[in-house]
Amino acid sequence: MNSSALTLRVAGIVDGTAVDGPGLRTSIYFAGCDHRCPGCHNPHTWPFDAGEDIASDELLRRIADNDFDVTFSGGDPMYQAERLVPLARAIKAMGKNIWCYTGFVYDDIRDLAPYSQLLKYIDVLVDGPYIEALRDPSLRFRGSSNQRIIELHQ
C-alpha cells in the first residue's frame, strides 16, 4: 500500500516539541480515543472526527522539512493502526526514530493485527492508560506511574 494514497485523521501537529520523547520531535496527535482517561490533557482529541484528514504524503513532507524524529500520540494512534503502517514504514525509511503513546497495554496488543504490524516500526512505545491517581510530574515522558516506556527497536 502506498503511503501517499492514505489520509489519516489528525487532531494536531506540534513541530519541535521536547516533551513527547528525547530531542526535538514532530508530534502528530491522531484523532480518536475510547479510553477517555479522567484527567487526560488532550480530551479534545477523543472524538474520532476531531481535527482534519491529512494525506500521508503531506505528513511525510512536513516530517522531512522539520528533520526531527517523530512521535505518534493522540487520542490514541492505535485506533488508526492499519492506516498508520505505511506512514510508519516511510518514516523509518527516512531514518527517523518513532515513539508512540497508547492507552492500550503492550501485552494485550503485541500479537494482534493490526497493532502488531504497526509495532514493527515503533522504536519506543509508551503504554497504558493515564491514571490520575498515579499522576507523577517527576516522571519523564509519561504522566502516571503505571505507564511504561518500552524499547521495541533501537
Side-chain angles (χ1 to χ4, degrees):
M1 187 180 289
N2 184 333
S3 65
S4 64
L6 294 175
T7 60
L8 295 149
R9 195 69 183 182
V10 176
I13 302 173
V14 178
D15 301 311
T17 182
V19 298
D20 293 328
L24 294 177
R25 310 183 73 80
T26 299
S27 286
I28 305 169
Y29 297 86
F30 293 95
C33 186
D34 279 338
H35 304 296
R36 300 182 179 269
C37 303
C40 172
H41 69 257
N42 288 333
H44 65 281
T45 66
W46 293 353
F48 287 87
D49 63 352
E52 61 183 318
D53 289 325
I54 300 180
S56 292
D57 59 349
E58 184 179 331
L59 292 171
L60 286 171
R61 272 194 305 277
R62 188 160 178 175
I63 290 164
D65 288 348
N66 288 336
D67 199 26
F68 301 135
D69 286 326
V70 177
T71 297
F72 295 160
S73 193
D76 193 324
M78 290 300 166
Y79 287 103
Q80 296 186 60
E82 186 173 4
R83 299 182 71 76
L84 271 169
V85 169
L87 176 66
R89 183 183 310 118
I91 292 168
K92 293 305 294 177
M94 296 167 65
K96 303 297 179 197
N97 167 280
I98 303 174
W99 276 47
C100 181
Y101 285 79
T102 182
F104 292 102
V105 175
Y106 174 67
D107 303 327
D108 295 340
I109 64 171
R110 70 175 170 216
D111 298 322
L112 299 176
Y115 313 115
S116 59
Q117 283 76 29
L118 178 58
L119 292 171
K120 292 177 188 176
Y121 301 101
I122 302 301
D123 295 291
V124 176
L125 184 74
V126 181
D127 82 334
Y130 172 74
I131 298 176
E132 199 166 20
L134 300 177
R135 179 181 182 269
D136 185 346
S138 72
L139 296 172
R140 193 162 187 219
F141 305 132
R142 54 199 175 120
S144 58
S145 60
N146 64 296
Q147 296 172 313
R148 300 178 297 173
I149 297 175
I150 304 169
E151 291 188 17
L152 300 178
H153 310 283
Q154 287 293 348

